[in-house]
Amino acid sequence: GNNLITSSNHLRHVDFITNLPSGAGKISHLNAVVLGEASASEQADLVLPSQQFSSQALVPSHQKYLEMYMRSIQDPAGFWSDIASQFYWKQKWPEQVFSENLDIRKGPIKIEWFKGGITNICYNCVDRNIEAGLGHKVALYWEGNGPGFDDTLTYSQLLHRVCQLANYLKDIGVKRGDAVVIYLPMLMELPIAMLACARIGAVHSVVFAGFSAESLAQRIVDCKPKAVITCNAVKRGPKIIHLKEIVDAALIQSAKTGISVDVCLTYENQSAMKRESTNWQEGRDVWWSDVVPKYPYTCEVEWVDAEDPLFLLYTSGSTGKPKGVLHTTGGYMVYAATTFKHAFDYKPSDIYWCTADCGWITGHSYVTYGPLLNGATVVVFEGAPNYPDPGRCWDIVDKYKVTLFYTAPTLVRSLMREGGVSFSGCFLSVYCCFLMIRDGACFYEVILLIAILIFITITQYVTRYSRKSLRVLGSVGEPINPSAWRWFYNVVGDSRCPISDTWWQTETGGFMITPLPGAWPQKPGSATFPFFGVQPVIVDEKGVEIGGECSGYLCLKSSWPGAFRTLYGDHERYETTYFKPFPGYYFSGDGCRRDKDGYHWLTGRVDDVINVKGQGIYAFVTLVEGVPYSEELRKSLIMTVRKQIGAFAAPDKIHWAPGLPKTRSGKIMRRILRKIASRQLDELEDTSTLADPTVVHQLIELADC
Ligand code: 6R9
């Protein structure tokens, strides 16, 4: 399967789906075509951190990692208590640090960390840092959609803003344990709103401000919030999105099921839309700027139990209703902070930028909580990474002297297509020079060609920026294929910055398998080794643990502080989805291979894997930019699969797909591909979470090409 990708220079991405129910039957080795797999030679390709990097790193060697890891496994209570003690606790947790049952055969699943300890995560993110002397340090740099729009908040200013909103929320009757839905774009008000809820013990549920009214209504109905916080509109790239209208429609819809929301606090996002043009429902809708600034800069903290809920975040289930993943306070706090610190080798002088939206778990743990708990300076970016041009990211990196840059493979790949030195281009140009000289071109003609070449090189979207400040790069969301890894490493990071390929999930709260830059040699495309306290196991289809070099289903043995505690209102679904498939373990839903050196290679969701059982295989194929799709190519693709894997695996249908339906975080929505394949076009359902919904129409048009 790997050869399918590496042997054809024309193929950028192959995606297979079938209509078969998942989980049944034997897994064929077709899963080897899942993006992110690497060939044997690629696996052996080690990239070492420089001596200079390792010597200054928090975990400077793999021996040190192993020593810390062993302690975290042998004495989890001691290991995590030592770390937790670095935070502020109003009252320390009692003797027992954690209790757990991950074995469904032994009774209900239960995970608790630091229960009985009393704390507040907002206090630990903001007040504690101010007390430690960081009041004047920048907490948030905000960079707007359009270049030139920006803002800054120090830790002291952040505290003021959080307290004002917290006071307002208390005033309208939001109490400890109440839910608040936040439907905001990446304005500073988004982390502020999360922290304000946490300060008063309210449970926030951030809904990504790209979700449709229907999805928002579904979430509102599920968690029954006391208030919804939104803004009137936002600009993404050149487009204006009228968020308030979406909220209005969602509230009408939720009211039909008897769930009415009393307050809709609306931030006026002046750069996108004036308040006069905003639809308004008197009595329910309130302008943020009319009320919030009137409240005092201080607000008493609501001290909560470590096991009190902190937030709900909905993730789409493979069937129907989204799952409300519930995280609690104490364990999540300790875990988000520690994973951030180690995976990015955080130093107080760092400037950190994560391109994720707070509507995603990455934005919870690694825009808001993890960095702020470490007293870090965080860049919050409102816009689109390729607006006004594909150099925007590097422009931002240079502007703020970003040292730690964390993003998704989908972004890396799209920027890779548009920028960076093209080696084939260089080769071609050198060849042209050679031809010109051979054919007697004059000196000036050759010089002119070289000058054009240099110009093209320096105007490349990446290389025209310095990026000197960068120290560590990060990747999340899906496997990063080795060629994208190398481009990220060589071109963006100038072969200087280790890449932390962080494997984790909404459910896990923080990183699970990730390199610690400085500790290990890296293999492009591998997430490497488990974080402290994490025990990954690979099981076969019977749920039997397999050791050594192997591949199978990725499970986790024993709990970690950041684990989710339940699915809101449906503990049974929690147990059925995650703990019943392989009794005794938490099942991640992902496939994984462990190589001979113990490195982990994530192969993607196992429900994306093909079980070849009588139904047809339908392949969506994306070609390298500029390569035309032809009948000849179609045949050669089918022949390649026949030859490399077997006739049983040959696709019955090849569908040329210049683009695939992807979420903003880069996950392919296979549900939609499946509907297109089976021509159930009236059942496409909600496509509003797609990064670019127009690809769906394009795919439908190309169906019979
Ligand atoms: C953080 C996040 C979780 C799923 C996960 C896996 C995929 C995430 C990955 C990765 C390979 C990585 N995934 N990071 N696969 N390598 N570094 O993305 O959470 O949105 O819940 O998605 O994403 O399949 O199971 P979430």
Side-chain angles (χ1 to χ4, degrees), residues 64-83 97-98 100 113 335 338 342 512 516 529-536 557-561:
K64 182 70 188 165
Y65 160 84
L66 285 172
E67 187 187 305
M68 291 172 76
Y69 180 74
M70 287 318 286
R71 175 165 184 238
S72 74
I73 300 302
Q74 286 159 359
D75 175 23
F79 181 88
W80 290 112
S81 307
D82 285 355
I83 293 175
V97 177
F98 71 101
E100 65 178 18
W113 282 81
Y335 200 70
T338 313
H342 286 290
M512 301 301 284
L516 300 186
F529 295 97
F531 192 73
F532 305 131
V534 174
Q535 296 190 68
K557 181 158 79 177
S558 78
S559 76
W560 61 98

Side-chain angles (χ1 to χ4, degrees), residues 35 313 315 325 360-362 366 406 409 475-480 500-508 510-511 513 525-527 586 588-591 601-606 608 663 665 667:
L35 204 71
L313 185 58
T315 82
V325 168
W360 190 26
I361 187 67
T362 308
Y366 304 109
Y406 187 34
S475 168
V476 59
E478 53 169 334
I480 177 161
S500 285
D501 175 4
T502 59
W503 176 80
W504 62 296
Q505 308 177 295
T506 306
E507 293 86 344
T508 69
F511 305 149
I513 300 182
S526 165
Y586 163 82
S588 68
D590 282 348
W601 299 79
L602 277 303
T603 52
R605 310 289 303 166
V606 292
D608 297 339
T663 63
S665 56
K667 295 189 176 65

Side-chain angles (χ1 to χ4, degrees), residues 104 109 567 570-582 587:
I104 193 77
I109 303 297
L567 290 179
D570 202 347
H571 200 69
E572 202 183 318
R573 189 176 180 197
Y574 172 72
E575 294 179 333
T576 313
T577 313
Y578 302 99
F579 297 92
K580 276 197 184 141
F582 300 111
F587 174 43

Side-chain angles (χ1 to χ4, degrees), residues 12 35-37 409 413 416 478-486 524-525:
R12 196 165 57 75
L35 204 71
E37 286 268 320
R413 283 194 292 267
M416 176 169 130
E478 53 169 334
I480 177 161
N481 47 312
S483 60
W485 195 102
R486 282 208 190 78

Side-chain angles (χ1 to χ4, degrees), residues 197-211:
C197 290
R199 192 168 191 89
I200 62 172
V203 183
H204 58 72
S205 184
V206 182
V207 177
F208 169 58
F211 271 116

